[in-house]
Amino acid sequence: MTVPGIDRPALVAWMGRHVPDAGEPLSVSLISGGRSNLTYLVEARERRLVLRRPPLGHVLPTAHDMRREWRVISALAPTPVPVPSPVAFCGDESVIGAPFYLMGYVAGAAVRTREELGSPSPERTRRLSERLAEVLAAIHAVDYREVGLGDFGRPEGYLSRQLDRWGQQWERSKTADLPEYDRLVRRLRERLPASSDSTLVHGDYRLDNTLIKLGDSPEIAAVVDWEMSTLGDPLADLGLTLTYWHDRGDSERAGIPVAGDVTVAPGFMNSSEFAAHYAKVSGRDISDLGFYVAFGNFKLAVIVEGIHARFRQGKTVGEGFDRIGSAVPTLISRAHRMLDQP
């Protein structure tokens, strides 16, 4: 059976040379795909593995960097941060048509909605949300120099570069001039912290970018999707996580069609409780958290505007994209409200 993005005979031969202890690959199947990196389950004779490669077709030279993902999970493997075990990296594009890497299979589920979560007790659900905060704190506690990631990014000026980067993305994809967007950029630039802590940051941390095990003691089995990771301000990670958060009773947030509704499940901490638990376990000062949540709303507004632009060009697949454009001014308004708070 042909699997898009995989040259099975070439992969079998490569694994025979580089991962002989896994045994012959018996089957390869796509786990998830789309515009992001593609993930495959490789059922080998001796063990189950997962293969990651870039999306099919043209990608930007600096996007979907497999070596970057490989490097960060290899560095984190001996730390308290749960990641899949690194197995082997291949930079030779002639094997399957793109660089790829293999990692160990992790039993767990990526949960985005209440339906996918099922019906665990509120106590177990709360513990899961606590673990989400604790693992984020563990990522930020890693001594990135000690694990060999000292040159993984440029932490100095991180927020200023992020503001410039996403501002450029807005200019490339905007479908209309929004004065409130321009005012937001000015306000964010005026409020940029003079200096900030520097840690490893995930760049897109939320529950559905982890693999979870519920059971009697809910646990985050692995953090995945490290393609946006770098060195920077840890509170930017927290701010974006809270931007995706849907608090119970927040009807405005319910109208923004991104992420899922898992955080409204009975027992899940609300955004304030999550932030407070992160502060407790990390020891980090979050007194200026409003700025970082505003920054997260700004970033998400730019992302959503890009999706809206592709919808108008007829380049989206699926349903619901006709409503996504209305979320952009809502996100911008939410960012202003966060900056208005004392």
Side-chain angles (χ1 to χ4, degrees):
M1 179 179 176
T2 302
V3 180
I6 297 293
D7 182 332
R8 190 174 183 279
L11 177 63
V12 169
W14 185 87
M15 287 182 61
R17 296 191 302 272
H18 297 277
V19 199
D21 61 317
E24 179 186 357
L26 303 176
S27 67
V28 181
S29 56
L30 183 66
I31 297 175
S32 65
R35 291 186 294 271
S36 189
N37 294 329
L38 306 181
T39 307
Y40 303 83
L41 175 63
V42 180
E43 294 274 11
R45 192 174 298 279
E46 300 299 328
R47 59 190 298 201
R48 304 174 95 186
L49 300 172
V50 170
L51 184 150
R52 289 268 284 176
R53 62 148 290 163
L56 305 178
H58 174 72
V59 297
L60 297 174
T62 57
H64 310 288
D65 188 342
M66 292 295 95
R67 190 178 294 277
R68 187 173 190 83
E69 278 198 11
W70 165 258
R71 185 179 174 193
V72 74
I73 69 165
S74 298
L76 293 176
T79 75
V81 178
V83 292
S85 59
V87 175
F89 176 83
C90 177
D92 183 356
E93 296 189 17
S94 69
V95 178
I96 65 168
F100 68 92
Y101 69 90
L102 292 170
M103 57 187 173
Y105 173 81
V106 176
V111 173
R112 187 172 182 270
T113 66
R114 289 183 61 180
E115 183 179 6
E116 292 169 342
L117 181 66
S119 302
S121 68
E123 292 77 17
R124 290 179 181 176
T125 305
R126 182 175 182 84
R127 182 57 190 145
L128 177 61
S129 57
E130 290 173 345
R131 287 298 297 144
L132 190 66
E134 291 160 9
V135 171
L136 181 60
I139 293 171
H140 298 158
V142 169
D143 186 332
Y144 59 82
R145 297 181 183 87
E146 183 68 25
V147 299
L149 295 176
D151 61 347
F152 196 61
R154 292 181 296 150
E156 299 80 10
Y158 168 77
L159 286 171
S160 179
R161 288 196 307 277
Q162 285 279 297
L163 188 59
D164 290 342
R165 173 190 172 187
W166 291 104
Q168 292 164 5
Q169 182 67 28
W170 173 271
E171 293 302 324
R172 286 192 292 266
S173 60
K174 69 178 181 180
T175 60
D177 289 322
L178 295 179
E180 283 300 283
Y181 167 84
D182 297 326
R183 187 169 74 92
L184 175 60
V185 172
R186 292 195 298 270
R187 294 185 73 187
L188 289 171
R189 194 168 295 283
E190 291 168 359
R191 283 274 304 273
L192 284 174
S195 61
S196 62
D197 194 7
S198 297
T199 71
L200 176 67
V201 294
H202 181 276
D204 197 20
Y205 188 80
R206 56 185 193 266
L207 190 64
D208 56 322
N209 276 340
T210 72
L211 300 175
I212 68 169
K213 295 179 181 178
L214 283 175
D216 293 334
S217 180
E219 188 53 83
I220 293 178
V223 181
V224 295
D225 291 349
W226 290 90
E227 58 189 283
M228 296 181 70
S229 59
T230 188
L231 304 181
D233 190 330
L235 294 186
D237 254 356
L238 178 62
L240 187 60
T241 301
L242 295 177
T243 296
Y244 282 110
W245 209 275
H246 180 186
D247 280 331
R248 289 178 287 278
D250 186 349
S251 57
E252 183 184 65
R253 179 64 186 80
I256 301 174
V258 293
D261 62 352
V262 66
T263 58
V264 301
F268 229 91
M269 290 190 295
N270 63 32
S271 57
S272 297
E273 292 171 325
F274 179 85
H277 192 62
Y278 169 86
K280 176 182 176 181
V281 296
S282 69
R284 196 161 270 115
D285 178 9
I286 63 168
S287 57
D288 198 21
L289 183 59
F291 166 83
Y292 292 94
V293 177
F295 202 98
N297 276 275
F298 154 75
K299 179 177 175 180
L300 187 56
V302 175
I303 292 170
V304 171
E305 179 70 358
I307 298 171
H308 178 54
R310 290 195 295 275
F311 166 74
R312 288 175 53 135
Q313 295 164 6
K315 296 181 179 179
T316 53
V317 177
E319 299 179 351
F321 291 106
D322 56 326
R323 301 187 301 273
I324 201 165
S326 62
V328 175
T330 302
L331 287 162
I332 292 171
S333 176
R334 288 169 75 89
H336 277 298
R337 292 205 301 272
M338 295 306 302
L339 292 176
D340 288 342
Q341 294 180 3

